[in-house]
Amino acid sequence: MSIFKKNTTKKEIETSLNEIQINLENSYKDLAIKAFKDSSELVELYHNESLIDEKAYGKYKGQLDVFAKRMEGYS
């Protein structure tokens, strides 16, 4: 795998996680839920395809867990 692909992958995930953060800060619950779902799927996809290593996967899963706690009670 090229370094360019790895950097692009991480940038895409971080952009996706940032979208959750922005939506939470602006109280856009529906958009935050959608962004969370999309980010979760993206992290899992890239992990399953070995585009991110275990360390990065753990970092992103930790961030998703924090967002999940903040979103408790959202429908």
Side-chain angles (χ1 to χ4, degrees):
M1 167 182 27
S2 72
I3 293 174
F4 178 74
K5 178 67 175 171
K6 190 177 255 189
N7 287 341
T8 303
T9 301
K10 289 185 177 185
K11 182 174 268 187
E12 188 175 352
I13 292 171
E14 291 180 11
T15 299
S16 181
L17 293 170
N18 189 44
E19 184 177 346
I20 299 170
Q21 180 67 33
I22 290 168
N23 289 324
L24 287 173
E25 288 174 357
N26 291 310
S27 298
Y28 300 146
K29 292 180 181 180
D30 292 339
L31 293 175
I33 291 167
K34 182 183 179 328
F36 179 82
K37 181 180 176 194
D38 293 345
S39 294
S40 296
E41 291 172 357
L42 192 64
V43 168
E44 291 300 325
L45 174 69
Y46 286 165
H47 181 254
N48 291 338
E49 293 182 359
S50 299
L51 295 174
I52 57 174
D53 58 21
E54 288 298 321
K55 182 178 177 182
Y57 177 71
K59 173 187 160 188
Y60 296 135
K61 287 296 283 184
Q63 288 177 312
L64 287 168
D65 290 344
V66 169
F67 287 135
K69 287 187 189 292
R70 289 180 60 189
M71 293 171 58
E72 285 179 358
Y74 285 17
S75 57

